[in-house]
Amino acid sequence: MDNLKEINCKEIFRKAYERRYTWRNDFKGYQGKCIFLRNNIIHKGSFALGKDFKPNIQKIEDENIVKSIASQLFEVCIHRVKREFESVHSENNFNLLKNSESGILMNVSGKNQGDKYRVKNDCINMVYRTIHGSIIEIFVEEFLDTGKGFLSKKYSSQQIDPNTLKAKSQKLEYEDEFVNIDKKDYWILSSRTIKYLNQNKEEETQKFVFDDIRLLN
């Protein structure tokens, strides 16, 4: 551990940031069928996601389920936008906190003061960020190597109260599956399973399936 001072956290984070999988800038969106499953109840519909990243869900009447499907589609696509490292992090510095088997843990000073990241094998496997007044803490267990970058495949997410630093939401366990469309290196979410404990501390599962996917021209 004598070389800790030689670790350049900003360059390590930059490399991992640039190895995330993103869509090309000429992405025009996609459409397909969507299925929502919870407690043995199935809702089937169709969807379109335009280049403006606004999901349009059809043939499902339950507004809460429509919102839930739309939020998954939006959340997925917003992370596929290619934004240059300097445009996002030029006003941030990255400072070493710990180097362990779990990865290189660093905190951020500057514009995004207080955020934290952890990097292992050139992948960001922990995110601790303040978003809209809440801290979001994400731990990634498994990645998919698309050949064009890495996608989080199995991970957990939880909201933390920024004042008490205690959990303010249940922990959500995600498992994602992706499909490569038309061999054009557009990796699209084909299913997402979310597990969590309900108010009775019983495990519940929601599953979103996206099928018959076609790129929009």
Side-chain angles (χ1 to χ4, degrees), residues 187-204:
W187 287 83
I188 307 288
L189 184 73
S190 58
S191 80
R192 166 170 286 174
T193 303
I194 306 175
K195 294 181 179 178
Y196 56 92
L197 296 179
N198 63 21
Q199 292 177 330
N200 299 322
K201 302 297 182 185
E202 299 164 336
E203 185 175 88
E204 285 198 12

Side-chain angles (χ1 to χ4, degrees), residues 48-102:
L49 180 74
K51 62 182 177 181
D52 58 1
F53 292 164
K54 290 182 180 176
N56 182 14
I57 314 297
Q58 301 286 341
K59 301 177 186 172
I60 295 178
E61 294 182 2
D62 189 314
E63 275 301 311
N64 288 326
I65 292 171
V66 168
K67 286 179 183 176
S68 192
I69 295 170
S71 72
Q72 303 306 319
L73 287 166
F74 178 77
E75 188 271 335
V76 165
C77 69
I78 207 71
H79 284 94
R80 300 289 86 82
V81 178
K82 188 175 182 65
R83 298 171 69 200
E84 296 302 326
F85 180 83
E86 287 301 326
S87 71
V88 180
H89 290 291
S90 62
E91 297 175 50
N92 288 329
N93 290 308
F94 296 81
N95 315 288
L96 181 68
L97 290 176
K98 186 179 180 183
N99 187 5
S100 70
E101 288 185 4
S102 300

